[in-house]
Amino acid sequence: MIGREILHKMKEKAGFGSCVPDTGKGKSKVSKKITSGYHMVKGKSRHAMEDYVVSEFRIMSDNELGLFAIFDGHLGHDVANYLQGHLFDNILEEPDFWTDTESAIRRAYHKTDAEILDKAISLGKGGSTAVTAILINGQKLVIANVGDSRAVICKDGEAVQLSVDHEPRKEKRMIEKRGGFVSNLPGDVPRVDGQLAVARAFGNKSLKIHLSSEPDVAVVTVDDSAQFLILASDGIWKVMSNQEAADSVKQIKDARSAAKHLIDDALSKKSKDDISCIVVKFQ
Protein backbone atom coordinates (compact mmCIF):
# COMPACT_ATOMS: atom_id res chain seq x y z
CA MET A 1 0.00 0.00 0.00
CA ILE A 2 2.89 2.38 0.86
CA GLY A 3 4.52 1.72 -2.51
CA ARG A 4 1.27 2.46 -4.33
CA GLU A 5 0.85 5.70 -2.41
CA ILE A 6 4.38 6.78 -3.30
CA LEU A 7 3.75 6.01 -6.98
CA HIS A 8 0.47 7.95 -6.82
CA LYS A 9 2.25 10.98 -5.33
CA MET A 10 4.97 10.77 -7.98
CA LYS A 11 2.35 10.76 -10.73
CA GLU A 12 0.59 13.69 -9.09
CA LYS A 13 3.82 15.66 -8.96
CA ALA A 14 4.50 14.88 -12.61
CA GLY A 15 1.02 16.10 -13.49
CA PHE A 16 -0.62 12.78 -14.35
CA GLY A 17 -3.67 11.53 -12.49
CA SER A 18 -4.82 8.83 -14.87
CA CYS A 19 -3.63 5.25 -14.59
CA VAL A 20 -4.24 4.53 -18.27
CA PRO A 21 -1.94 5.60 -21.12
CA ASP A 22 -2.73 8.97 -22.67
CA THR A 23 -3.64 7.32 -25.96
CA GLY A 24 -4.97 3.97 -27.12
CA LYS A 25 -7.21 2.08 -29.52
CA GLY A 26 -9.47 -0.98 -29.74
CA LYS A 27 -11.42 -3.11 -32.20
CA SER A 28 -14.71 -4.96 -32.06
CA LYS A 29 -14.61 -8.73 -32.51
CA VAL A 30 -18.28 -8.86 -33.48
CA SER A 31 -18.06 -6.27 -36.24
CA LYS A 32 -14.64 -5.65 -37.76
CA LYS A 33 -15.88 -2.30 -39.05
CA ILE A 34 -16.20 -0.89 -35.50
CA THR A 35 -13.03 0.58 -34.00
CA SER A 36 -12.29 2.94 -31.14
CA GLY A 37 -9.51 5.30 -30.16
CA TYR A 38 -8.86 7.76 -27.38
CA HIS A 39 -6.42 10.54 -26.61
CA MET A 40 -5.83 12.72 -23.54
CA VAL A 41 -3.91 15.97 -22.99
CA LYS A 42 -3.30 17.76 -19.70
CA GLY A 43 -4.37 21.39 -19.66
CA LYS A 44 -2.47 24.45 -18.49
CA SER A 45 -3.56 24.27 -14.85
CA ARG A 46 -1.01 23.50 -12.13
CA HIS A 47 -2.96 20.58 -10.67
CA ALA A 48 -2.62 16.98 -11.81
CA MET A 49 -4.58 15.67 -14.79
CA GLU A 50 -8.18 15.25 -13.62
CA ASP A 51 -9.66 13.44 -16.65
CA TYR A 52 -10.05 9.66 -16.76
CA VAL A 53 -11.29 7.44 -19.58
CA VAL A 54 -12.64 3.94 -20.18
CA SER A 55 -12.41 2.55 -23.71
CA GLU A 56 -12.70 -1.20 -24.13
CA PHE A 57 -14.61 -4.06 -25.72
CA ARG A 58 -15.78 -6.81 -23.36
CA ILE A 59 -17.53 -10.15 -23.93
CA MET A 60 -20.31 -10.80 -21.42
CA SER A 61 -23.11 -13.40 -21.52
CA ASP A 62 -22.28 -14.21 -25.17
CA ASN A 63 -22.69 -10.54 -26.04
CA GLU A 64 -20.08 -7.96 -26.90
CA LEU A 65 -20.17 -4.67 -25.04
CA GLY A 66 -18.26 -1.60 -26.08
CA LEU A 67 -17.69 0.37 -22.88
CA PHE A 68 -16.66 4.00 -23.30
CA ALA A 69 -16.59 6.84 -20.78
CA ILE A 70 -15.13 10.25 -20.01
CA PHE A 71 -14.85 11.32 -16.37
CA ASP A 72 -13.85 14.96 -15.84
CA GLY A 73 -12.87 15.51 -12.21
CA HIS A 74 -12.91 18.78 -10.30
CA LEU A 75 -11.25 19.73 -6.99
CA GLY A 76 -9.05 16.67 -7.38
CA HIS A 77 -9.00 13.54 -9.52
CA ASP A 78 -9.90 10.86 -6.95
CA VAL A 79 -13.64 10.77 -7.71
CA ALA A 80 -12.99 10.48 -11.46
CA ASN A 81 -10.49 7.71 -10.74
CA TYR A 82 -13.09 5.88 -8.63
CA LEU A 83 -15.64 6.15 -11.43
CA GLN A 84 -13.16 4.70 -13.90
CA GLY A 85 -12.74 1.64 -11.72
CA HIS A 86 -16.31 1.09 -10.52
CA LEU A 87 -19.14 2.69 -12.52
CA PHE A 88 -19.34 0.20 -15.39
CA ASP A 89 -19.03 -2.78 -13.03
CA ASN A 90 -21.91 -1.38 -10.98
CA ILE A 91 -24.00 -0.94 -14.14
CA LEU A 92 -23.31 -4.46 -15.41
CA GLU A 93 -24.03 -6.00 -11.99
CA GLU A 94 -27.59 -4.67 -12.00
CA PRO A 95 -29.85 -7.75 -12.36
CA ASP A 96 -32.02 -6.19 -15.08
CA PHE A 97 -29.19 -4.73 -17.17
CA TRP A 98 -30.16 -6.82 -20.20
CA THR A 99 -33.93 -6.38 -19.87
CA ASP A 100 -34.19 -2.76 -18.72
CA THR A 101 -30.84 -1.16 -19.48
CA GLU A 102 -31.98 2.42 -18.91
CA SER A 103 -33.30 1.74 -15.40
CA ALA A 104 -30.19 -0.29 -14.55
CA ILE A 105 -27.95 2.61 -15.54
CA ARG A 106 -29.94 5.11 -13.49
CA ARG A 107 -29.77 2.92 -10.38
CA ALA A 108 -26.06 2.25 -10.86
CA TYR A 109 -25.33 5.98 -11.20
CA HIS A 110 -27.11 6.64 -7.88
CA LYS A 111 -25.47 3.63 -6.20
CA THR A 112 -22.02 4.74 -7.32
CA ASP A 113 -22.61 8.29 -6.14
CA ALA A 114 -23.68 6.96 -2.73
CA GLU A 115 -20.47 4.91 -2.55
CA ILE A 116 -18.42 8.02 -3.37
CA LEU A 117 -20.16 10.08 -0.70
CA ASP A 118 -19.59 7.31 1.85
CA LYS A 119 -15.89 7.37 0.99
CA ALA A 120 -15.58 11.17 1.14
CA ILE A 121 -12.88 10.99 3.81
CA SER A 122 -10.56 9.09 1.45
CA LEU A 123 -11.81 10.46 -1.89
CA GLY A 124 -11.91 14.08 -0.75
CA LYS A 125 -14.37 16.92 -1.30
CA GLY A 126 -14.19 16.95 -5.09
CA GLY A 127 -16.41 15.44 -7.74
CA SER A 128 -16.64 14.51 -11.39
CA THR A 129 -18.82 14.71 -14.45
CA ALA A 130 -19.46 11.55 -16.46
CA VAL A 131 -20.58 10.57 -19.91
CA THR A 132 -20.89 6.84 -20.57
CA ALA A 133 -21.65 4.91 -23.74
CA ILE A 134 -22.49 1.21 -23.90
CA LEU A 135 -22.50 -0.32 -27.37
CA ILE A 136 -24.36 -3.64 -27.36
CA ASN A 137 -23.36 -6.06 -30.14
CA GLY A 138 -22.52 -3.13 -32.37
CA GLN A 139 -26.22 -2.38 -32.84
CA LYS A 140 -27.63 -0.59 -29.79
CA LEU A 141 -26.01 2.45 -28.19
CA VAL A 142 -26.99 3.61 -24.70
CA ILE A 143 -25.69 7.01 -23.60
CA ALA A 144 -25.90 8.42 -20.07
CA ASN A 145 -24.41 11.53 -18.51
CA VAL A 146 -24.20 13.92 -15.59
CA GLY A 147 -22.45 17.25 -16.01
CA ASP A 148 -21.06 18.78 -19.19
CA SER A 149 -18.92 16.03 -20.73
CA ARG A 150 -20.68 15.35 -23.99
CA ALA A 151 -21.63 12.58 -26.46
CA VAL A 152 -22.17 13.45 -30.11
CA ILE A 153 -23.02 11.02 -32.90
CA CYS A 154 -22.49 11.80 -36.56
CA LYS A 155 -25.16 10.43 -38.91
CA ASP A 156 -24.90 11.10 -42.65
CA GLY A 157 -22.57 13.99 -41.91
CA GLU A 158 -24.85 15.65 -39.34
CA ALA A 159 -23.76 15.97 -35.71
CA VAL A 160 -26.45 15.06 -33.16
CA GLN A 161 -25.89 15.62 -29.44
CA LEU A 162 -27.00 12.60 -27.40
CA SER A 163 -26.13 13.87 -23.92
CA VAL A 164 -27.48 16.87 -22.00
CA ASP A 165 -25.26 19.68 -20.70
CA HIS A 166 -26.34 20.11 -17.09
CA GLU A 167 -25.75 23.83 -16.66
CA PRO A 168 -26.69 25.63 -13.42
CA ARG A 169 -28.58 28.29 -15.38
CA LYS A 170 -30.84 25.68 -16.96
CA GLU A 171 -31.54 23.95 -13.63
CA LYS A 172 -31.76 27.05 -11.46
CA ARG A 173 -35.32 26.35 -10.32
CA MET A 174 -34.47 22.81 -9.21
CA ILE A 175 -31.34 24.00 -7.36
CA GLU A 176 -33.29 26.74 -5.59
CA LYS A 177 -36.02 24.28 -4.66
CA ARG A 178 -33.34 22.25 -2.87
CA GLY A 179 -32.26 25.34 -0.93
CA GLY A 180 -29.30 26.33 -3.05
CA PHE A 181 -28.63 29.27 -5.33
CA VAL A 182 -27.02 29.95 -8.70
CA SER A 183 -24.52 32.79 -8.87
CA ASN A 184 -24.20 34.83 -12.04
CA LEU A 185 -21.29 37.19 -11.49
CA PRO A 186 -20.00 39.41 -14.33
CA GLY A 187 -17.16 37.74 -16.18
CA ASP A 188 -17.88 34.30 -14.74
CA VAL A 189 -20.11 31.35 -15.64
CA PRO A 190 -23.19 30.53 -13.50
CA ARG A 191 -22.24 28.37 -10.50
CA VAL A 192 -24.14 26.30 -7.94
CA ASP A 193 -23.78 28.07 -4.58
CA GLY A 194 -21.16 30.27 -6.24
CA GLN A 195 -18.81 27.27 -6.58
CA LEU A 196 -19.58 24.56 -9.14
CA ALA A 197 -20.16 25.23 -12.85
CA VAL A 198 -22.31 22.11 -13.41
CA ALA A 199 -25.71 21.30 -11.93
CA ARG A 200 -25.23 17.53 -11.79
CA ALA A 201 -22.16 15.58 -10.75
CA PHE A 202 -20.81 12.66 -8.78
CA GLY A 203 -19.38 13.50 -5.36
CA ASN A 204 -19.10 17.07 -4.04
CA LYS A 205 -20.38 16.08 -0.62
CA SER A 206 -20.53 19.65 0.71
CA LEU A 207 -22.81 20.68 -2.18
CA LYS A 208 -24.71 17.43 -2.60
CA ILE A 209 -27.95 18.62 -1.04
CA HIS A 210 -28.21 21.10 -3.92
CA LEU A 211 -26.80 18.84 -6.66
CA SER A 212 -28.24 15.90 -8.57
CA SER A 213 -26.56 12.73 -9.80
CA GLU A 214 -29.59 11.76 -11.91
CA PRO A 215 -28.34 10.92 -15.42
CA ASP A 216 -30.00 11.75 -18.68
CA VAL A 217 -30.20 8.56 -20.76
CA ALA A 218 -30.59 8.17 -24.52
CA VAL A 219 -30.91 4.99 -26.61
CA VAL A 220 -29.88 5.01 -30.28
CA THR A 221 -29.91 2.32 -32.96
CA VAL A 222 -26.63 2.10 -34.84
CA ASP A 223 -27.83 1.84 -38.44
CA ASP A 224 -26.15 2.42 -41.80
CA SER A 225 -26.38 6.20 -41.36
CA ALA A 226 -24.24 6.16 -38.19
CA GLN A 227 -20.65 7.10 -39.00
CA PHE A 228 -18.96 7.73 -35.66
CA LEU A 229 -19.43 8.72 -32.03
CA ILE A 230 -17.46 11.36 -30.13
CA LEU A 231 -17.22 11.43 -26.33
CA ALA A 232 -15.25 14.36 -24.92
CA SER A 233 -14.75 16.51 -21.84
CA ASP A 234 -15.67 20.17 -21.95
CA GLY A 235 -12.18 21.20 -23.02
CA ILE A 236 -13.43 20.41 -26.54
CA TRP A 237 -16.91 21.92 -26.26
CA LYS A 238 -15.78 25.24 -24.81
CA VAL A 239 -14.14 26.08 -28.14
CA MET A 240 -15.97 23.94 -30.75
CA SER A 241 -19.57 23.27 -31.73
CA ASN A 242 -20.84 19.73 -32.22
CA GLN A 243 -20.76 20.11 -35.99
CA GLU A 244 -17.27 21.61 -35.97
CA ALA A 245 -16.03 18.63 -33.96
CA ALA A 246 -17.69 16.16 -36.33
CA ASP A 247 -16.34 17.95 -39.40
CA SER A 248 -12.86 17.96 -37.87
CA VAL A 249 -12.61 14.15 -37.81
CA LYS A 250 -15.03 12.87 -40.45
CA GLN A 251 -12.30 12.27 -43.06
CA ILE A 252 -9.94 10.47 -40.66
CA LYS A 253 -10.37 6.70 -40.83
CA ASP A 254 -8.24 5.71 -37.83
CA ALA A 255 -10.19 6.30 -34.62
CA ARG A 256 -7.19 7.07 -32.42
CA SER A 257 -5.79 9.51 -34.99
CA ALA A 258 -9.23 11.14 -35.13
CA ALA A 259 -9.31 11.62 -31.35
CA LYS A 260 -5.82 13.14 -31.37
CA HIS A 261 -6.66 15.41 -34.30
CA LEU A 262 -9.79 16.69 -32.55
CA ILE A 263 -7.80 17.59 -29.44
CA ASP A 264 -5.10 19.28 -31.55
CA ASP A 265 -7.87 21.26 -33.23
CA ALA A 266 -9.24 22.37 -29.84
CA LEU A 267 -5.76 23.34 -28.67
CA SER A 268 -5.30 25.44 -31.78
CA LYS A 269 -8.46 27.27 -30.72
CA LYS A 270 -6.84 28.08 -27.35
CA SER A 271 -8.54 25.47 -25.15
CA LYS A 272 -6.69 25.51 -21.81
CA ASP A 273 -8.58 22.79 -19.92
CA ASP A 274 -7.69 19.12 -19.54
CA ILE A 275 -9.04 17.37 -22.64
CA SER A 276 -10.07 13.74 -23.08
CA CYS A 277 -11.62 12.41 -26.25
CA ILE A 278 -12.88 9.04 -27.48
CA VAL A 279 -13.89 8.40 -31.08
CA VAL A 280 -15.81 5.24 -32.01
CA LYS A 281 -15.95 4.58 -35.75
CA PHE A 282 -18.95 2.56 -36.97
CA GLN A 283 -17.84 2.35 -40.60
Side-chain angles (χ1 to χ4, degrees), residues 26-36 57 64 135 138:
K27 189 172 185 177
S28 167
K29 294 180 180 179
V30 170
S31 173
K32 294 183 178 180
K33 294 187 299 181
I34 299 177
T35 58
S36 65
F57 291 94
E64 183 183 69
L135 180 62

Side-chain angles (χ1 to χ4, degrees), residues 23-276:
T23 190
K25 61 182 180 180
K27 189 172 185 177
S28 167
K29 294 180 180 179
V30 170
S31 173
K32 294 183 178 180
K33 294 187 299 181
I34 299 177
T35 58
S36 65
Y38 70 89
H39 196 73
M40 308 170 67
V41 170
K42 187 184 178 301
K44 296 185 181 297
S45 62
R46 293 184 179 181
H47 59 66
M49 175 68 159
E50 292 180 334
D51 283 9
Y52 282 71
V53 304
V54 174
S55 182
E56 65 173 280
F57 291 94
R58 186 186 301 183
I59 300 297
M60 184 177 178
S61 301
D62 295 324
N63 293 279
E64 183 183 69
L65 299 177
L67 304 176
F68 309 102
I70 301 286
F71 305 118
D72 183 356
H74 44 261
L75 296 177
H77 57 255
D78 290 317
V79 172
N81 184 17
Y82 187 88
L83 290 167
Q84 183 194 53
H86 296 84
L87 181 55
F88 275 125
D89 286 343
N90 285 347
I91 291 172
L92 299 177
E93 286 170 4
E94 287 291 326
D96 60 348
F97 170 76
W98 297 105
T99 57
D100 190 355
T101 306
E102 182 175 336
S103 295
I105 289 173
R106 292 185 187 280
R107 279 197 306 277
Y109 264 61
H110 290 300
K111 175 185 177 182
T112 307
D113 192 41
E115 292 173 358
I116 290 168
L117 296 176
D118 285 343
K119 297 176 185 294
I121 292 176
S122 59
L123 294 180
K125 63 181 181 180
S128 179
T129 72
V131 59
T132 58
I134 301 178
L135 180 62
I136 303 174
N137 294 323
Q139 299 173 335
K140 180 181 179 182
L141 183 65
V142 187
I143 302 290
N145 84 291
V146 294
D148 55 6
S149 295
R150 193 180 293 177
V152 173
I153 193 169
C154 186
K155 288 194 167 193
D156 289 335
E158 181 181 355
V160 179
Q161 185 170 329
L162 301 178
S163 57
V164 177
D165 293 345
H166 296 131
E167 301 173 1
R169 176 178 52 84
K170 294 179 181 177
E171 305 199 6
K172 182 179 179 181
R173 185 174 298 178
M174 182 181 71
I175 293 164
E176 290 176 343
K177 189 175 180 180
R178 293 174 173 220
F181 69 92
V182 175
S183 63
N184 195 11
L185 299 176
D188 193 15
V189 297
R191 295 179 182 274
V192 177
D193 295 354
Q195 299 179 56
L196 190 62
V198 289
R200 303 189 196 186
F202 285 95
N204 297 102
K205 188 167 186 176
S206 64
L207 296 175
K208 200 75 227 188
I209 191 173
H210 304 150
L211 287 177
S212 171
S213 59
E214 176 70 21
D216 273 285
V217 183
V219 180
V220 179
T221 299
V222 179
D223 55 23
D224 291 340
S225 69
Q227 295 167 276
F228 56 87
L229 173 74
I230 299 171
L231 301 183
S233 56
D234 66 335
I236 294 282
W237 312 116
K238 285 177 180 177
V239 297
M240 302 178 76
S241 69
N242 296 337
Q243 193 62 52
E244 285 173 336
D247 290 344
S248 175
V249 302
K250 66 182 180 182
Q251 301 297 335
I252 303 174
K253 292 184 178 180
D254 179 72
R256 179 167 59 177
S257 297
K260 183 180 185 302
H261 179 81
L262 184 53
I263 289 179
D264 289 343
D265 207 352
L267 292 174
S268 74
K269 299 178 186 296
K270 310 302 182 185
S271 179
K272 297 179 181 180
D273 201 354
D274 296 341
I275 309 177
S276 296

